[in-house]
Amino acid sequence: MTLNQVLPIALTVIGFSVASTLAVIAVAKTRRGRGSVRSRSLLAPYRNALIAMASGEDEDGQAKDTLYAVPAPTWVRLRPNVLAFLPKVRGTSADDLRELMRFHGEIDRAKRMLTSRSAVRRAHAAYLLGLARDRFSSPLLLPLLNDPDADVRLVAARALGVIGEPLAASGILGALDGPDPDRRVPPGLPARALGVVPVRCADPDQRRRGGEVHLDDASVDDLAPVAGADDPAGRDDAGARWRDLGAILLASVLENLGYRQATAWWRLEGWAASLVGRKQVWGTMTRQGFGDESPAVAALSGDVPGVALSGDVRVPALRRHA
Amino acid sequence: MTEMVKTRIVVADDDQDILDLVVFKLTQAGYDAVPVSDGVAALAAIEADLPRLAILDVMMPGLSGMDVLRKVRANEATKDLDVILLTARARDSDLDTGFATGASDYVIKPFSPRELMHRVNAVLARDTR
């Protein structure tokens, strides 16, 4: 077979593979867009009711009736909207949203998730119980101050802080001065995030005796995105898991169309280059580094102890996943 | 029959939830709320509409709420506009900076929508006394 005979076949295969890959990407994007529009239109009637409830303008109880009647499958989609509103308001508006969550079984579900094997789920559950200000969950949250995962310890302490149970204060201080240095919560940023204003005092015993402990909602809520991060491991939705599985299976089939041919072609190119003795030249590689890392993330990972967390610093996502 | 002119209030926040919530609350109270989602649009709306009051988030894309406030105070046409800062910045120093820049009031997030309305009414009533 001559090169003139092989080349058209190779080009046809590559062209077909590229076209099919582009088609799959286009279809996936269109479906995602349609799904988003469908979700928005599904939630639109509830959005107004949610705003009415969050603004405290529901004297006739119409918004409450609408939101309490949300069917379970729709609640799964509406739930993130409610969770997004809750840390932004306080007073009776927040109380109404908390009751709505309780009505739809969120508190009981979160309590069950506190013992999940997934650290993300445990953190999410602790965050949710903190948002719900559920006093009865304090005894369940206290053991999480000794959780093997640092993020879970932090979010549990935050939740205990905002719930405001008196027994939580000693638990949080215990976490600050615990016997195991590896599990001790360091001072500085995490301490602020815990809702404890550290007392400028080197002696831990004196700090326990005379330490002024008060709850600082504004600073602890800065950590909300840590626990509220959307993570596949935190999903309860069985449908979403099946969809993910389907997508993986589809990807394993589709990789045979284009991707494998392309890698085979590049391998052939490499062999050809080695046969003729052509050397690969990389050129100048400029190190880019990680200069844009958020100071809050750096501080959480312990690189920058004691960095002050201002009211508008946002933590983009969980540092690590279970 | 003459139609009563509603008091116009510009609301600027890049958080859509808060923007919708504040606009809903103001509209329910009978105000004409003009929503914008960044500092540049807020300044443009203030200069174009000359509202009675502006409710500004501090951290916004483009111009911050504090920058908008400075520009409003520096402009002869808008220097007397009442401005309420609605922000998550809760430190005493942040409040000091806000009031020193010329804010009429300062509301800290998370906020009570009812309290915000009381403050809006109080700020507007100050001018009519």
Side-chain angles (χ1 to χ4, degrees), chain A residues 261-280:
Chain A
Q261 287 83 354
T263 52
W265 177 256
W266 292 327
R267 233 176 294 158
L268 277 171
E269 277 188 332
W271 285 338
S274 70
L275 283 174
V276 298
R278 197 172 69 230
K279 297 227 170 185
Q280 175 64 42

Side-chain angles (χ1 to χ4, degrees), chain A residues 99-110:
Chain A
E99 276 309 308
L100 177 67
M101 284 171 56
R102 191 181 298 278
F103 178 83
H104 283 284
E106 289 296 333
I107 311 297
D108 292 336
R109 205 169 299 138

Side-chain angles (χ1 to χ4, degrees), chain A residues 119-285:
Chain A
V120 175
R121 286 187 180 200
R122 292 199 300 278
H124 192 89
Y127 171 67
L128 201 141
L129 291 170
L131 265 188
R133 305 283 199 275
D134 184 64
R135 287 184 176 275
F136 299 107
S137 57
S138 289
L140 302 175
L141 285 166
L142 273 171
L144 293 191
L145 291 174
N146 293 314
D147 194 277
D149 188 280
D151 291 326
V152 176
R153 293 201 295 274
L154 205 60
V155 178
R158 173 209 174 276
L160 284 165
V162 294
I163 288 171
E165 272 287 300
L167 67 108
S170 59
I172 294 169
L173 282 177
L176 278 164
D177 299 322
D180 183 354
D182 293 335
R183 294 199 172 184
R184 198 179 294 159
V185 180
L189 165 73
R192 274 184 59 80
L194 290 174
V196 178
V197 176
V199 178
R200 305 278 177 216
C201 172
D203 178 10
D205 290 332
Q206 195 183 338
R207 187 162 36 180
R208 277 204 194 90
R209 284 196 305 273
E212 181 194 349
V213 179
H214 75 258
L215 309 176
D216 185 355
D217 279 11
S219 62
V220 296
D221 277 339
D222 285 330
L223 274 183
V226 174
D230 185 25
D231 188 279
R235 287 185 200 158
D236 279 337
D237 185 3
R241 281 200 295 275
W242 282 110
R243 277 196 298 279
D244 289 344
L245 187 61
I248 291 166
L249 284 172
L250 185 66
S252 67
V253 172
L254 291 177
E255 72 171 357
N256 296 301
L257 304 171
Y259 173 72
R260 283 183 184 279
Q261 287 83 354
T263 52
W265 177 256
W266 292 327
R267 233 176 294 158
L268 277 171
E269 277 188 332
W271 285 338
S274 70
L275 283 174
V276 298
R278 197 172 69 230
K279 297 227 170 185
Q280 175 64 42
V281 180
W282 285 95
T284 309
M285 304 286 286

Side-chain angles (χ1 to χ4, degrees), chain B residues 13-42:
Chain B
D13 203 309
D14 58 337
D15 183 326
Q16 193 61 43
D17 289 340
I18 290 180
L19 191 62
D20 288 349
L21 196 150
V22 174
V23 167
F24 179 84
K25 190 82 183 166
L26 290 169
T27 309
Q28 290 288 310
Y31 293 109
D32 175 17
V34 180
V36 289
S37 54
D38 63 70
V40 178

